[in-house]
């Protein structure tokens, strides 16, 4: 299924690996609604972990968050398996007349979160903290998100060949809606890009160990937030901040 997957969900492989560990020993004929239900029940009682760098021996360090998995995350785990089962039915891999076990699983109620954006002091503190980060490109990444409103996944897929410094633009070929869009690049971003310019086929925010994959920046982002003393703020909230600043400066809803 993952070999054939062409979607834009970057965390699907991680969720599928979790499911493989949970029910990978079963055949499709053996899997039923109870397996899905109790797996999600077990997940809801645990706390998610995040990547926190490497130890002295080069081993990856994962730390537990203070809060349990959100309802939205639990729903995405169910949706991942539901998609796999649907694919199996379409490909005639599932037994004839077999029913998708996820159909009877109720979605966890998701409560809308309060939209968060940075005020002037927070913005200055956060950008200064990003400049001091152990990862040199964090400031560039945050500045791009703040000034373009682009999503994290869009910026992670950005290649040097997508950037036109003369026109001051960056092309996003695969948005969440499957469309192409152009990001306007402000002078501060262009100046920062010049420091790291690479080959056209390379990712702008490539991993140090795997140049073909995006850098896992969660841990340096958390460090920057801690240094700036900013709480309850996600990377995605930079997109909200961009929209808020535009609205405050007279932009229309469409703009």
């Amino acid at each position: 299924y993952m070999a054939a997957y062409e979607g834009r969900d970057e965390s699907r492989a991680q969720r599928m690996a979790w499911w493989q560990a949970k029910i990978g020993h079963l055949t499709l004929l053996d899997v039923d609604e109870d397996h899905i239900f109790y797996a999600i029940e077990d997940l809801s009682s645990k706390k998610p972990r995040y990547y926190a760098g490497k130890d002295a021996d080069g081993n990856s360090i994962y730390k537990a968050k203070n809060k349990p998995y959100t309802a939205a995350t639990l729903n995405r785990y169910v949706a991942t398996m539901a998609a796999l089962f649907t694919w199996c039915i379409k490909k005639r891999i599932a037994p004839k007349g077999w029913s998708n076990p996820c159909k009877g699983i109720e979605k966890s109620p998701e409560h809308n979160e309060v939209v968060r954006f940075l005020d002037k002091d927070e913005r200055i503190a956060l950008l200064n903290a990003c400049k001091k980060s152990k990862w040199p490109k964090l400031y560039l990444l945050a500045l791009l998100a703040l000034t373009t409103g682009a999503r994290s996944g869009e910026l992670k897929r950005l290649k040097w060949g997508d950037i036109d410094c003369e026109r001051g633009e960056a092309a996003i070929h695969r948005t969440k809606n499957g469309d192409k869009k152009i990001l306007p690049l402000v002078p501060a971003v262009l100046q920062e890009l010049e420091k790291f310019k690479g080959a056209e086929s390379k990712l702008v925010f490539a991993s140090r160990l795997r140049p073909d994959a995006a850098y896992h920046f969660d841990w340096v982002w958390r460090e920057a937030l801690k240094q700036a003393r900013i709480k309850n703020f996600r990377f995605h909230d930079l997109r909200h901040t961009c929209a808020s600043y535009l609205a405050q400066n007279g932009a229309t809803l469409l703009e």
Side-chain angles (χ1 to χ4, degrees), residues 28-82:
L28 281 173
L29 195 59
D30 292 331
V31 178
D32 60 27
E33 188 180 305
D34 284 349
H35 290 108
I36 308 300
F37 177 82
Y38 288 116
I40 293 299
E41 281 285 293
D42 181 53
L43 184 64
S44 67
S45 67
K46 292 181 169 54
K47 293 179 180 178
R49 299 189 305 161
Y50 65 92
Y51 179 72
K54 295 183 180 293
D55 60 20
D57 297 321
N59 299 313
S60 296
I61 302 171
Y62 291 92
K63 293 183 178 180
K65 295 181 180 179
N66 294 325
K67 298 179 180 179
Y69 285 93
T70 64
T73 299
L74 295 175
N75 288 336
R76 281 196 290 271
Y77 270 85
V78 176
T80 296
M81 269 323 272

Side-chain angles (χ1 to χ4, degrees), residues 37-154:
F37 177 82
Y38 288 116
I40 293 299
E41 281 285 293
D42 181 53
L43 184 64
S44 67
S45 67
K46 292 181 169 54
K47 293 179 180 178
R49 299 189 305 161
Y50 65 92
Y51 179 72
K54 295 183 180 293
D55 60 20
D57 297 321
N59 299 313
S60 296
I61 302 171
Y62 291 92
K63 293 183 178 180
K65 295 181 180 179
N66 294 325
K67 298 179 180 179
Y69 285 93
T70 64
T73 299
L74 295 175
N75 288 336
R76 281 196 290 271
Y77 270 85
V78 176
T80 296
M81 269 323 272
L84 168 65
F85 291 146
T86 299
W87 180 82
C88 288
I89 293 170
K90 287 181 179 178
K91 292 293 182 180
R92 304 295 190 269
I93 297 171
K96 207 165 188 178
W98 185 78
S99 180
N100 191 326
C102 293
K103 281 186 177 180
I105 303 298
E106 290 187 12
K107 289 182 68 174
S108 301
E110 297 180 20
H111 302 290
N112 293 330
E113 298 179 3
V114 176
V115 174
R116 175 85 159 86
F117 61 90
L118 299 171
D119 61 29
K120 181 180 177 181
D121 291 339
E122 287 178 323
R123 182 185 76 243
I124 294 171
L126 180 57
L127 290 179
N128 283 337
C130 288
K131 287 179 182 179
K132 300 172 184 176
S133 172
K134 295 175 183 176
W135 183 45
K137 292 182 181 178
L138 183 61
Y139 174 63
L140 171 60
L141 181 66
L143 198 61
L144 261 171
L146 186 62
T147 58
T148 65
R151 296 179 175 89
S152 168
E154 294 170 347

Side-chain angles (χ1 to χ4, degrees), residues 157-164 173 196-204:
R157 291 191 293 271
L158 198 62
K159 294 183 178 181
W160 287 106
D162 298 325
I163 296 172
D164 187 335
H173 299 286
F196 306 103
K197 200 165 185 179
E200 289 194 358
S201 61
K202 301 296 183 183
L203 292 170
V204 176

Side-chain angles (χ1 to χ4, degrees), residues 150 154-155 158 170-175 179-183:
E154 294 170 347
L155 296 177
L158 198 62
I172 299 294
H173 299 286
R174 293 178 64 193
T175 67
D179 303 321
K180 179 182 176 180
K181 71 180 178 185
I182 301 297
L183 305 180

